[in-house]
Amino acid sequence: MRWSRNSSNAVPARGWLPSLVWLIPLAAALVCIGLAYRSVSERGPAIVISFPNAEGLEAGKAAVRYRDVDIGSVTAITLAPDRSHVLVEVRLTESAKRFAAKGARFWIVHPRVDAGGVSGLGTLLSGAYIGADAGHSHETETRFTGLETPPAIGTGEEGAQYVLHGDSLGSVDIGSPVYYRRLQVGRVTGVTLDKDGAGVTLNVFVGRPYQQYVGTNTRWWQASGLDLRLDSNGLQLNTQSLAAVMLGGIAFQGPPGETVGEAAAGGAVFRLARDESDAMRHDDGPPAQVVMRFSQSLRGLSVGAPVDFRGIQLGEVTKIGIEFDPKTREFTLPVTLNLYPDRLGQRYRESVQHRDASAGKALLVKLVASGLRGQLRTGNLLTNQLYVALDMFPQAPTAHVDLNRRPIELPTAPNTLQELQVQIADIAKKLNQVPFDQIGNNLDSALANANLLLRQLDTQLAPQARDTLASAERTFNVAQAVLQQDSPLQADMHRALTQLTQTLRSLNTLADYLEQHPESLVWGKGRNAN
């Protein structure tokens, strides 16, 4: 740069022009300002979510997603002051500000295997993230409590929810499928234990349009496991699907022979049966509780065992106990049963309904007097499972029923095996009373006397018997010698017989002559006689 000579002040020789080098940082600054403005303008609200733990989450990397679209990111993870949970700070985008509304739900997504299936496998490569579901409220919130598991029903999913009450949960869990005619139409959304601890309550969701098949008369049952039956039709195996067998499930359907009827409203309450046969059974009315006392072993009898009357199930066993009687100093085994009298048939129900309330009790007294008894019988020879059989035993000892006792106690009869055991015990007792020692001693004495008698026979009678036998032998030898053909006696007898024959012939000739000449006896034989 050159300066002018005539000027008292030093001025540049030509005008100042900015260097091109300054344009590069200026452009970078403008870009940063633009990005910062864009970032600030697109920033949504900041919220804090509490989780039991921050498994898999990392500040600055973990995202917040809805339907696999990023709607925010995790900015910080801190431990709560009481160290019972963690606080995850999240910055949402401007377009996702609705997720800061009251009712929004958040949960951590990572690989999970549950009753609903396998989910979150993509996080094996990308890492865990926070799943989100928007709320419908217009009120905003900044603090949320995260869910431990993903929600069973997403926002906007149409359908209806129902409440089921059952005795036990079985293998059903949140996310287990719900089936209608073996088609999955919903899932279990919640499981809680009743306040009294006597059962469980399940919330189920049935999606559209299948909720129209849920009527006021619909029956629900646990469809998990295998239903294996062996009857007169052969071996039958019933199950909903392989998923229901492995993970559990619930099925519903209308009663056989009936239509769906009036549709059930959302939130309707139903009974959850143990299996399909229990669910489809006709309503038998309230049960009558009775007690039977047995003295034999109850090994093989379990709660839920059927109470059978000639092949018809009238109830089931509800309780098995043991009691000690201080008077008799014996133990008894009381078995509590639930009986359903309405299962005895339409005529029984009509006969009881048309009469006063004591008709049923009077009939029970008559049946017991006629021999109605309870008996334990073996239902399965392979498993040795027992059941309670009600039957008539006309020869049973007389028994009475106390109708004022609660619950009513019915008399029992021993089974065939127990009677056989009693008979064998009686026989053994009688055999034990036989004096086998005395009989043995008497038998030893008798054998000794017999041995002495034999010795006397051998020493005294045997020599005489041998002499007699020798004399008899000599006599037989003489007789044999006399009877031989060449013996003198035989020759003499032969000559004597010959002479006797000749004499008989002469006498025969004389008799013929005298018959012809009887006068010869007087005059003698004439000269001309031959």
Side-chain angles (χ1 to χ4, degrees):
M1 183 180 293
R2 294 180 297 176
W3 301 91
S4 175
R5 296 179 180 178
N6 299 326
S7 175
S8 58
N9 297 324
V11 295
R14 54 184 179 180
W16 178 84
L17 295 175
S19 175
L20 295 177
V21 178
W22 294 99
L23 294 177
I24 296 175
L26 181 60
L30 293 176
V31 171
C32 292
I33 293 173
L35 293 176
Y37 174 77
R38 181 179 178 181
S39 176
V40 172
S41 62
E42 292 182 355
R43 289 178 62 182
I47 61 175
V48 178
I49 309 172
S50 64
F51 289 103
N53 57 73
E55 180 184 2
L57 296 181
E58 187 175 353
K61 293 184 178 181
V64 179
R65 296 178 182 177
Y66 173 73
R67 299 184 183 274
D68 290 335
V69 176
D70 290 350
I71 60 173
S73 61
V74 176
T75 58
I77 300 176
T78 58
L79 187 64
D82 58 358
R83 300 185 299 277
S84 63
H85 57 280
V86 296
L87 300 176
V88 179
E89 299 179 11
V90 172
R91 175 67 67 175
L92 300 175
T93 61
E94 177 65 19
S95 60
K97 59 183 180 180
R98 289 187 54 189
F99 288 86
K102 186 177 182 179
R105 297 175 291 182
F106 301 91
W107 64 94
I108 299 176
V109 179
H110 49 71
R112 184 189 304 274
V113 179
D114 53 17
V118 181
S119 61
L121 292 180
T123 59
L124 293 174
L125 299 177
S126 61
Y129 61 90
I130 296 178
D133 191 14
H136 297 282
S137 177
H138 296 287
E139 300 180 13
T140 60
E141 281 190 355
T142 58
R143 303 186 72 87
F144 297 88
T145 301
L147 305 176
E148 296 184 4
T149 58
I153 305 175
T155 301
E157 194 169 0
E158 297 181 351
Q161 294 196 60
Y162 306 97
V163 180
L164 308 179
H165 287 293
D167 296 332
S168 64
L169 187 62
S171 55
V172 177
D173 198 358
I174 296 177
S176 295
V178 176
Y179 296 95
Y180 176 73
R181 300 188 182 276
R182 289 183 170 82
L183 176 67
Q184 183 175 352
V185 297
R187 54 192 173 273
V188 179
T189 60
V191 175
T192 57
L193 183 67
D194 293 346
K195 294 182 179 180
D196 57 0
V200 294
T201 300
L202 291 81
N203 297 322
V204 297
F205 173 79
V206 178
R208 184 181 296 274
Y210 305 107
Q211 78 273 14
Q212 62 179 322
Y213 302 113
V214 181
T216 55
N217 60 344
T218 297
R219 310 291 176 86
W220 300 74
W221 68 91
Q222 292 187 3
S224 56
L226 299 175
D227 184 10
L228 185 63
R229 298 182 182 180
L230 181 61
D231 53 17
S232 59
N233 295 325
L235 187 66
Q236 297 181 358
L237 177 63
N238 297 323
T239 183
Q240 294 295 326
S241 66
L242 182 60
V245 173
M246 306 247 342
L247 303 175
I250 292 176
F252 70 91
Q253 195 171 321
E258 298 183 16
T259 60
V260 175
E262 182 182 357
V269 181
F270 296 92
R271 169 181 171 265
L272 180 62
R274 294 189 302 268
D275 50 34
E276 184 176 1
S277 60
D278 183 26
M280 295 301 175
R281 188 167 52 230
H282 179 73
D283 186 12
D284 300 312
Q289 192 177 69
V290 299
V291 174
M292 296 183 183
R293 296 183 182 274
F294 297 94
S295 58
Q296 66 189 90
S297 174
L298 298 183
R299 187 177 186 86
L301 184 68
S302 59
V303 175
V307 180
D308 183 280
F309 180 78
R310 298 182 179 179
I312 304 300
Q313 182 174 346
L314 294 183
E316 63 273 345
V317 176
T318 59
K319 183 180 179 181
I320 300 175
I322 183 171
E323 292 181 0
F324 176 73
D325 189 352
K327 296 182 179 180
T328 61
R329 297 183 180 275
E330 294 181 352
F331 288 94
T332 59
L333 304 174
V335 177
T336 306
L337 317 170
N338 274 349
L339 300 181
Y340 297 90
D342 288 350
R343 296 183 185 179
L344 292 175
Q346 182 65 26
R347 290 188 177 180
Y348 169 79
R349 292 192 295 269
E350 292 176 354
S351 63
V352 173
Q353 291 174 358
H354 293 168
R355 300 168 62 184
D356 56 350
S358 61
K361 296 181 179 180
L363 179 60
L364 179 61
V365 172
K366 292 181 180 180
L367 291 175
V368 171
S370 301
L372 179 65
R373 300 291 187 273
Q375 187 182 62
L376 290 178
R377 295 179 183 176
T378 302
N380 192 314
L381 295 177
L382 296 178
T383 61
N384 200 28
Q385 293 295 313
L386 300 179
Y387 69 96
V388 179
L390 282 174
D391 210 334
M392 304 301 295
F393 298 87
Q395 304 300 327
T398 304
H400 302 281
V401 180
D402 186 3
L403 298 178
N404 296 324
R405 185 171 182 175
R406 292 292 181 272
I408 296 177
E409 182 175 338
L410 294 181
T412 60
N415 59 15
T416 306
L417 179 59
Q418 187 178 8
E419 292 179 348
L420 180 61
Q421 291 175 349
V422 173
Q423 294 176 0
I424 293 176
D426 292 339
I427 294 173
K429 184 177 180 180
K430 293 179 181 179
L431 290 176
N432 192 31
Q433 296 175 354
V434 176
F436 289 104
D437 295 338
Q438 184 178 356
I439 294 174
N441 295 331
N442 295 336
L443 183 59
D444 291 339
S445 300
L447 291 176
N449 295 332
N451 191 17
L452 179 60
L453 179 60
L454 291 176
R455 288 176 182 173
Q456 292 178 356
L457 291 174
D458 185 55
T459 56
Q460 299 178 7
L461 299 178
Q464 298 178 3
R466 284 195 294 268
D467 294 342
T468 302
L469 291 175
S471 298
E473 185 177 2
R474 289 193 296 269
T475 303
F476 289 145
N477 290 335
V478 172
Q480 185 177 7
V482 170
L483 295 176
Q484 288 181 355
Q485 294 181 358
D486 55 351
S487 64
L489 181 60
Q490 286 284 347
D492 294 341
M493 291 180 66
H494 183 68
R495 286 193 299 269
L497 290 175
T498 302
Q499 292 176 1
L500 179 61
T501 302
Q502 292 176 356
T503 300
L504 291 175
R505 287 177 181 175
S506 298
L507 289 174
N508 190 23
T509 302
L510 178 60
D512 291 339
Y513 179 78
L514 291 177
E515 183 179 1
Q516 296 178 1
H517 303 280
E519 69 276 6
S520 60
L521 294 174
V522 178
W523 307 109
K525 185 175 181 181
R527 295 179 180 180
N528 294 329
N530 292 333

